[in-house]
Amino acid sequence: MSVLDVVNYGDPILRKKCKQVTDFSNLTSFIEDMFDTMYEEEGIGLAANQVGVDMNMFIIDIAHTDEKEFPRIFINGAITKLEGESTFSEGCLSIPQVALEVIRPETILFKYQDINQKWHEEKFYGLLSRAIQHEMDHLNGVLIIDLVDEIQKAKVQKEVNKIKSDSISRIKKNSSDKRFVL
Ligand SMILES: [Zn+2]
């Protein structure tokens, strides 16, 4: 078990449409690491590409807000139906300290595989619906900053630009470090 590095806005993997999972054989330890990372960072959801892995998979745990809920793993998910509309203040582990009022559909029908490759189709609403939509956006290369109007964007532009330039210099530093590792 280990905590992984969360990549931030500016890293190109956050703009990729992630690949479907076809090999389920070695997922368990990666998923455990994702949970460790999410709890360490105090997030309620985490997508694989947020820890640099190109894979259509994400986890959510909202048990602290809804005691009927439990930690969830969603693989190869797809939203099949959207209904209604709601506004909610969202944060993102890849855009630290930035909160945006995001308008999204209220309820969704969602198809996904579990860790045993079994397919499910479930209706989700409330916080779980919102978290699934947020994580599915990640897996399609979409971030909350893309979903708000210019006025909201302008308010956080300075913070977001700083996150982006820090992220890009971190990538440059990592790739130049690697050149000397033989
Ligand atoms: Zn996010």
Side-chain angles (χ1 to χ4, degrees):
M1 301 220 295
S2 51
V3 173
L4 307 167
D5 282 337
V6 174
V7 300
N8 279 351
Y9 181 61
D11 192 307
I13 196 152
L14 293 175
R15 290 309 196 181
K16 276 202 71 166
K17 185 174 165 58
C18 291
K19 292 192 192 95
Q20 293 293 102
V21 177
T22 51
D23 181 4
F24 284 67
S25 57
N26 292 312
L27 280 182
T28 317
S29 70
F30 175 56
I31 288 171
E32 279 175 12
D33 289 349
M34 281 187 68
F35 274 105
D36 287 347
T37 308
M38 182 177 75
Y39 295 136
E40 174 73 22
E41 302 288 336
E42 298 181 352
I44 60 166
L46 186 69
N49 57 341
Q50 287 185 278
V51 290
V53 176
D54 180 359
M55 194 185 263
N56 183 332
M57 200 265 291
F58 64 91
I59 57 169
I60 288 177
D61 187 355
I62 60 161
H64 70 291
T65 66
D66 182 346
E67 60 191 24
K68 293 193 295 295
E69 270 305 329
F70 50 92
R72 300 256 199 167
I73 301 159
F74 300 96
I75 302 167
N76 294 334
I79 294 167
T80 53
K81 202 176 170 188
L82 300 160
E83 261 173 7
E85 190 182 285
S86 71
T87 307
F88 191 82
S89 176
E90 287 184 34
C92 179
L93 292 179
S94 294
I95 315 176
Q97 313 299 330
V98 170
L100 293 164
E101 296 288 319
V102 182
I103 302 167
R104 293 187 186 275
E106 172 69 31
T107 61
I108 58 168
L109 199 58
F110 188 62
K111 209 175 125 186
Y112 64 94
Q113 276 178 292
D114 63 25
I115 194 152
N116 301 313
Q117 302 188 48
K118 189 173 181 270
W119 282 100
H120 302 262
E121 192 166 40
E122 264 184 82
K123 192 173 183 178
F124 293 99
Y125 52 90
L127 184 57
L128 203 46
S129 162
R130 185 156 281 267
I132 291 170
Q133 293 178 63
H134 180 114
E135 302 310 333
M136 277 311 294
D137 273 353
H138 271 303
L139 299 175
N140 287 309
V142 176
L143 296 162
I144 50 173
I145 192 79
D146 307 326
L147 304 177
V148 298
D149 60 30
E150 293 303 318
I151 300 167
Q152 274 206 74
K153 225 184 261 182
K155 280 186 194 157
V156 297
Q157 201 62 58
K158 222 176 123 185
E159 290 95 317
V160 169
N161 286 346
K162 170 91 171 70
I163 293 164
K164 190 176 180 179
S165 64
D166 288 352
S167 179
I168 290 167
S169 47
R170 191 166 69 173
I171 295 164
K172 278 190 188 146
K173 191 186 169 296
N174 287 343
S175 62
S176 64
D177 283 351
K178 271 178 201 142
R179 259 181 253 147
F180 304 100
V181 179
L182 299 169

